[in-house]
Amino acid sequence: RFLDVTQAGTIATAAKQIEASHGYLNVLINNAGIALDAHQPPSQLPVMTMRQDFDVNFFGLVSVTQAMIPLLKKGAPAKIINVSSNMGSLGLASDPDSRFFQVNSLGYQASKAAVNFATIDFAKELQPDHISVNSVNPGWTRTDFGGNRSGEQTVAEGAAQIVKLAADDSPDLNMTFTETAGKLPW
Ligand SMILES: NC(=O)c1ccc[n+]([C@@H]2O[C@H](COP(=O)([O-])OP(=O)(O)OC[C@H]3O[C@@H](n4cnc5c(N)ncnc54)[C@H](OP(=O)(O)O)[C@@H]3O)[C@@H](O)[C@H]2O)c1
């Protein structure tokens, strides 16, 4: 793996290579993600497993973002798209009418809720630099994710909202959490 989001050295190397080859960055898509918890109740879930989820999904995303900000500033107007999850929505998880009310996957859910907070806080900081930051839920997609390929959508369908945001030129599109079907509760 050329860039391991948990290894500062590989992140710095990637930033240097982009600097040398292009000098700037227009779009950063923070896609790397893992889900190591297997729906154990929170009382049974090893803290180490949750730490591993957070290392990749949250701390990795924040580390890569911090390293790429100088390049994004040079590429402004630029955008950061954080690949989050509907499983990280506090609104859905606490809504008895939502199917996510039944979901118990504390490490993954909390790490994606933290991703959404990174979206909000980086969006506020970077707006004056004309860098937008948005969260996207790809939805249940047939990838290697979670050790199976049983998702409902094709990869193209899962990537559609990410691609749409990457191509969007509206300067007002900032600090949102969306999926193909529309807006999601944080
Ligand atoms: N599939 C779904 O149903 C679904 C639903 C909602 C959200 N998501 C989110 O969508 C994103 C993409 O997942 P996916 O469905 O495409 O799953 P995937 O097929 O398992 O792909 C995960 C990707 O993350 C990379 N990755 C994992 N750990 C990494 C690390 N330490 N450093 C760098 N890269 C790392 C993997 O790289 P390698 O190939 O090198 O291992 C792989 O490219 C994730 O953030 C996930 O949480 C997926």
Side-chain angles (χ1 to χ4, degrees), residues 1 3-5 31 33 83-84 108 112 138-141 143-145:
R1 191 182 277 153
L3 194 169
D4 184 329
V5 300
N31 177 66
V83 181
S84 179
Y108 183 69
K112 290 297 190 179
W140 194 28
T141 306
T143 64
D144 293 338
F145 195 70

Side-chain angles (χ1 to χ4, degrees), residues 13-176:
T13 301
K16 275 188 203 132
Q17 290 205 2
I18 296 167
E19 170 83 63
S21 58
H22 297 284
Y24 65 92
L25 193 59
N26 292 118
V27 183
L28 169 64
I29 300 174
N30 283 312
N31 177 66
I34 57 172
L36 298 181
D37 30 347
H39 297 272
Q40 301 99 319
S43 60
Q44 311 292 316
L45 183 62
V47 167
M48 184 51 73
T49 305
M50 293 191 255
R51 275 193 212 281
Q52 289 171 327
D53 284 336
F54 266 83
D55 270 346
V56 174
N57 299 355
F58 178 68
F59 294 113
L61 176 146
V62 170
S63 303
V64 172
T65 301
Q66 289 177 340
M68 299 300 166
I69 283 173
L71 289 163
L72 289 161
K73 285 184 178 174
K74 289 182 189 169
K79 54 188 81 178
I80 299 169
I81 300 170
N82 290 330
V83 181
S84 179
S85 172
N86 42 18
M87 284 180 65
S89 164
L90 297 169
L92 293 177
S94 57
D95 175 0
D97 294 328
S98 165
R99 67 189 165 102
F100 294 97
F101 195 76
Q102 308 303 332
V103 173
N104 245 339
S105 194
L106 181 60
Y108 183 69
Q109 288 178 289
S111 71
K112 290 297 190 179
V115 164
N116 285 346
F117 239 111
T119 294
I120 291 171
D121 283 0
F122 275 115
K124 289 179 193 169
E125 180 186 347
L126 298 175
Q127 190 159 24
D129 298 304
H130 307 288
I131 300 168
S132 66
V133 191
N134 292 285
S135 276
V136 174
N137 166 47
W140 194 28
T141 306
R142 287 190 291 275
T143 64
D144 293 338
F145 195 70
N148 71 64
R149 294 171 171 273
S150 67
E152 285 169 340
Q153 309 176 107
T154 64
V155 169
E157 287 167 336
Q161 182 68 2
I162 299 165
V163 173
K164 188 176 162 195
L165 257 67
D168 191 302
D169 281 335
S170 156
D172 298 331
L173 186 71
N174 195 22
M175 217 168 87
T176 66

